[in-house]
Amino acid sequence: MDIETLINTTENKLAEKYASIERIAYINQIKVLQAFQNRKIALRHFTPTTGYGYDDVGRDTLSEVFADIFKAEKAIVSPLITSGTHAITLMLFGLLRPNDTLLSISGDVYDTLQGVICDKGIGSLKDFNIKYDKIELKNGDFDFNAIVEYIKKTSPKMIFIQRSRGYSWRNAFSTEEIKKVCSLIKQMAPKTIIAVDNCYGEFVSDSEPIESGADICAGSMIKNPGGGIAPTGGYIVGRADCVELVGYRMTAPGVGTEVGSYAADYRPYYQGLFMAPHITAQALKGALLFGTIYKELGYETMPNDNSPLNDIICSIKFKNKNELINFCQTVQTVSPVDSHVTPYPWDMPGYSHQVIMAAGTFVQGASIELSADSPIREPYIAYLQGGLTYEHVKYAVTKCVENLFRKN
Ligand SMILES: *Cc1c(COP(=O)(O)O)cnc(C)c1O
């Protein structure tokens, strides 16, 4: 079969799944629009500020709009948060105190958080005598029995859930699955704070983790909620008392979110948030297309035409390291920016393995834009995500498959 036919038949096969993605995007678009209208967003909200940033209306209102959309009491959305890792770190350090326990119930945390939690001598949670435990997933789902047994013995201060798959071979959690585990935890340990790493999960479903019973969640503005337009930043949303403590950690105890100026303008944050439901849908359709086509070609993939879709990532298990590297390099060649450079596996801050990252993006490293990355370790899985337009992703899959055919 030639590539064009393969893509056409795959698109037909995915028609119903695409329709369901578009229905969710519609619901989320209206949700976002209404939040803008209710908060009476106007030009003045886009204007930059300097110095302390007292009464920065752009910053404060952006946070209110975010809180409305995520059905949370309070939010922090800030260009001063450097990344998703930073946002999650603020969430952990804002709420945990010496001798507390942090329990992850979704197995290992994301690679860059390992250092934040466990490494010695760099100001990690461990250095502050905060204990860390984890419960592995069981067949890709929460291990309910193990969670019950753990909580029977002691209630941890915080239970941590990573919604998205990270660099592991599993599916992301749906908000329904998160709801089920949250209600169990709330029944047994009502005081335990449930914190969610929401990276890549925003706008994938018509509800968000706070509606599922989480107390707080955090994510990156150069992933889904920035809509490909926000230039940097992170966010935290949740219960007012929790988010307030995180604010004290972000700036200074007692000062919190009253300060923080931004000398560029806030328009890209508002505009990006407005675009986010649509852009997320483009990325979701792209992930499905890649996953289904590579499945047809005999690779193990997630998602594909018969698996659930709960984050914007597509995982493809390659046969060897070379295939993986070739794939990432091809993705780079079809990028709008830096298409002429070749990515190689390299040491990256916060990662324990070498990582290859194809990201020919307008915003450096923005993974809501078409990008592919992978730690160089077995099994050789490429994690592809993003795409500001479905058409771009479709062109990318054409080129990747062409290359694969040529090599074999
Ligand atoms: C992207 C990501 C993070 C944070 O990564 P940054 O590169 O620091 O933004 C954390 N957890 C998960 C699951 C992620 O996908």
Side-chain angles (χ1 to χ4, degrees):
M1 204 190 305
D2 65 84
I3 299 160
E4 214 182 299
T5 320
L6 178 61
I7 289 185
N8 283 340
T9 47
T10 308
E11 281 186 319
N12 288 336
K13 200 191 282 184
L14 292 172
E16 250 177 62
K17 292 222 166 209
Y18 283 5
S20 128
I21 290 169
E22 282 155 17
R23 271 194 298 277
I24 289 169
Y26 184 75
I27 292 168
N28 286 329
Q29 185 68 76
I30 305 309
K31 196 197 288 182
V32 170
L33 178 65
Q34 286 176 345
F36 275 58
Q37 294 172 339
N38 290 340
R39 294 289 175 178
K40 298 188 166 55
I41 298 309
L43 276 181
R44 69 192 173 93
H45 293 112
F46 306 157
T47 45
T49 57
T50 56
Y52 294 111
Y54 291 131
D55 300 315
D56 181 333
V57 71
R59 175 198 69 210
D60 290 346
T61 315
L62 181 63
S63 297
E64 286 165 3
V65 168
F66 239 77
D68 290 353
I69 293 166
F70 285 80
K71 308 284 188 282
E73 291 171 1
K74 193 174 164 71
I76 300 171
V77 187
S78 178
L80 309 178
I81 300 174
T82 57
S83 64
T85 303
H86 188 189
I88 295 161
T89 299
L90 292 172
M91 176 167 81
L92 298 174
F93 278 85
L95 295 167
L96 292 163
R97 297 291 177 265
N99 306 318
D100 282 346
T101 298
L102 167 68
L103 171 68
S104 164
I105 57 167
S106 43
D108 274 329
V109 293
Y110 187 74
D111 297 53
T112 56
L113 293 168
Q114 300 280 353
V116 172
I117 294 171
C118 301
D119 282 5
K120 274 191 179 157
I122 57 167
S124 65
L125 290 180
K126 188 178 200 141
D127 284 341
F128 288 92
N129 209 22
I130 293 161
K131 197 172 163 242
Y132 170 64
D133 278 329
K134 67 174 175 186
I135 296 176
E136 296 295 345
L137 297 177
K138 203 175 164 186
N139 306 321
D141 195 3
F142 296 115
D143 187 342
F144 285 88
N145 286 336
I147 296 169
V148 167
E149 288 311 310
Y150 190 102
I151 301 178
K152 267 189 197 159
K153 277 187 228 128
T154 92
S155 300
K157 172 73 170 288
M158 179 187 279
I159 285 183
F160 186 86
I161 300 170
Q162 182 183 305
R163 181 175 175 185
S164 176
R165 70 191 72 183
Y167 287 133
S168 66
W169 188 258
R170 68 156 169 107
N171 234 312
F173 287 108
S174 68
T175 46
E176 290 78 21
E177 288 166 317
I178 292 175
K179 190 173 200 163
K180 198 171 148 206
V181 80
C182 284
S183 53
L184 173 82
I185 295 164
K186 288 292 166 192
Q187 247 171 32
M188 294 187 68
K191 289 208 173 121
T192 292
I193 297 166
I194 304 175
V196 175
D197 171 352
N198 204 27
C199 282
Y200 290 130
E202 303 89 353
F203 301 118
V204 169
S205 146
D206 60 5
S207 69
E208 296 291 335
I210 301 297
E211 295 163 81
S212 302
D215 295 294
I216 190 161
C217 62
S220 164
M221 291 306 290
I222 62 169
K223 294 181 179 174
N224 311 16
I229 300 178
T232 184
Y235 76 90
I236 294 115
V237 291
R239 247 168 54 191
D241 58 332
C242 295
V243 175
E244 181 141 341
L245 285 169
V246 173
Y248 290 146
R249 169 69 202 205
M250 182 177 89
T251 64
V255 178
T257 51
E258 305 274 317
V259 299
S261 63
Y262 187 50
D265 71 340
Y266 287 103
R267 182 191 51 77
Y269 289 91
Y270 287 95
Q271 194 172 355
L273 180 58
F274 178 73
M275 295 295 291
H278 176 74
I279 301 293
T280 302
Q282 300 294 293
L284 284 169
K285 284 159 74 174
L288 260 183
L289 184 68
F290 254 98
T292 309
I293 284 186
Y294 272 81
K295 183 189 133 194
E296 297 289 325
L297 297 174
Y299 291 86
E300 273 187 77
T301 64
M302 207 186 285
N304 53 54
D305 55 321
N306 55 28
S307 66
L309 189 61
N310 295 314
D311 63 17
I312 64 161
I313 306 173
C314 174
S315 314
I316 305 172
K317 209 181 263 182
F318 283 102
K319 297 183 180 108
N320 54 55
K321 184 172 152 181
N322 274 349
E323 267 196 4
L324 168 73
I325 292 173
N326 263 324
F327 176 81
C328 293
Q329 290 178 342
T330 309
V331 171
Q332 184 78 30
T333 64
V334 298
S335 300
V337 180
D338 288 339
S339 61
H340 53 287
V341 306
T342 308
Y344 290 96
W346 214 256
D347 295 319
M348 305 264 303
Y351 292 88
S352 55
H353 292 78
Q354 287 204 327
V355 182
I356 183 163
M357 290 207 170
T361 53
F362 292 96
V363 170
Q364 188 192 71
S367 45
I368 185 63
E369 299 183 48
L370 184 66
S371 49
D373 42 68
S374 178
I376 304 297
R377 64 183 177 216
E378 280 187 88
Y380 296 109
I381 303 167
Y383 298 88
L384 173 121
Q385 61 273 314
L388 296 177
T389 72
Y390 173 73
E391 292 75 16
H392 181 207
V393 185
K394 185 167 156 176
Y395 178 72
V397 77
T398 310
K399 289 294 154 189
C400 286
V401 173
E402 259 175 30
N403 246 345
L404 193 69
F405 284 179
R406 201 174 309 129
K407 288 238 151 64
N408 299 337

